[in-house]
Amino acid sequence: MKVVAINGSARAGGNTRLLIDRVCAVLEKEGIETRVFELAGSWIHGCRACAKCSPGPEPLCGMDDDDLNGLLPDIYAADGLILGSPVYFADVTTEMKGVIERAGYINRNRGQNLLRRKVGAGVTAVRRAGALHALATLNNFFTINQMVVVGSSYWNVGFGRNPGEVADDQEGLRTMDTLGANMA
């Protein structure tokens, strides 16, 4: 079994990554392989509705001018998917939104629902507010693609602003541990 996690933060190794790593540590203890992709430093734009997605067993986006097509084969091959994002103005980052828009469009319209029945979990890191809206954005991607959404003992949220501050959110860390166990 394999789970792919995508960190939608502009900061590599920041709070969102700490939360994702916490979930992945539990998965790995259960013998599940994990791989984390950082979107920091990459550029992924939103869908342009060009309808040039390539059909096939591993469909790709017709726009190959950014990093999305490099992620798609790993997403399709995984048994589970974690999408993590910090909360920017009460929603996910623009890079994560680009992944959601384009991967969702390709999967639903050209890809024969390759994500169907895979397990999905969203994770958000937040300073104060907007976490549930961002988490809903991630969960909507899972449900529209017929994925099984994994829950935890509380909302999949960690609180912290500066890099590393989520490590002080003990309830958030326990929530990530439970999320990993439930996902396994």
Side-chain angles (χ1 to χ4, degrees):
M1 305 240 349
K2 181 178 181 181
V3 171
V4 167
I6 300 173
N7 179 7
S9 178
R11 289 183 186 155
N15 287 322
T16 306
R17 179 62 188 256
L18 289 172
L19 296 172
I20 289 171
D21 286 347
R22 186 80 177 215
V23 177
C24 288
V26 175
L27 292 169
E28 289 168 1
K29 284 181 187 173
E30 294 291 329
I32 297 170
E33 178 187 351
T34 65
R35 183 165 182 197
V36 180
F37 291 95
E38 297 265 8
L39 297 186
S42 67
W43 179 66
I44 296 180
H45 53 77
C47 184
R48 295 180 185 151
C50 68
K52 294 180 182 174
C53 313
S54 64
E58 285 190 350
L60 299 174
C61 182
M63 298 179 293
D64 61 358
D65 59 346
D66 68 8
D67 299 326
L68 180 70
N69 283 338
L71 296 174
L72 291 174
D74 286 288
I75 291 170
Y76 299 144
D79 301 293
L81 180 62
I82 298 169
L83 296 179
S85 180
V87 177
Y88 290 177
F89 291 89
D91 212 341
V92 299
T93 62
T94 57
E95 292 81 10
M96 180 57 72
K97 187 66 172 153
V99 170
I100 288 170
E101 287 176 1
R102 290 169 57 208
Y105 185 87
I106 295 163
N107 179 61
R108 291 181 47 76
N109 296 302
R110 300 282 194 238
Q112 306 87 38
N113 289 320
L114 296 174
L115 301 177
R116 185 171 172 239
R117 296 193 179 130
K118 293 180 188 254
V119 176
V123 171
T124 59
V126 62
R127 181 187 73 85
R128 181 168 304 276
L132 294 184
H133 180 79
L135 191 58
T137 296
L138 300 172
N139 287 339
N140 286 338
F141 172 81
F142 300 135
T143 59
I144 194 69
N145 286 294
Q146 302 178 50
M147 296 177 71
V148 178
V149 179
V150 180
S152 185
S153 54
Y154 199 69
W155 306 113
N156 305 341
V157 176
F159 289 90
R161 179 180 184 169
N162 295 318
E165 281 186 352
V166 294
D168 297 330
D169 179 10
Q170 294 304 306
E171 183 178 13
L173 296 177
R174 285 191 306 275
T175 300
M176 296 306 130
D177 291 342
T178 303
L179 179 61
N182 290 346
M183 193 169 201

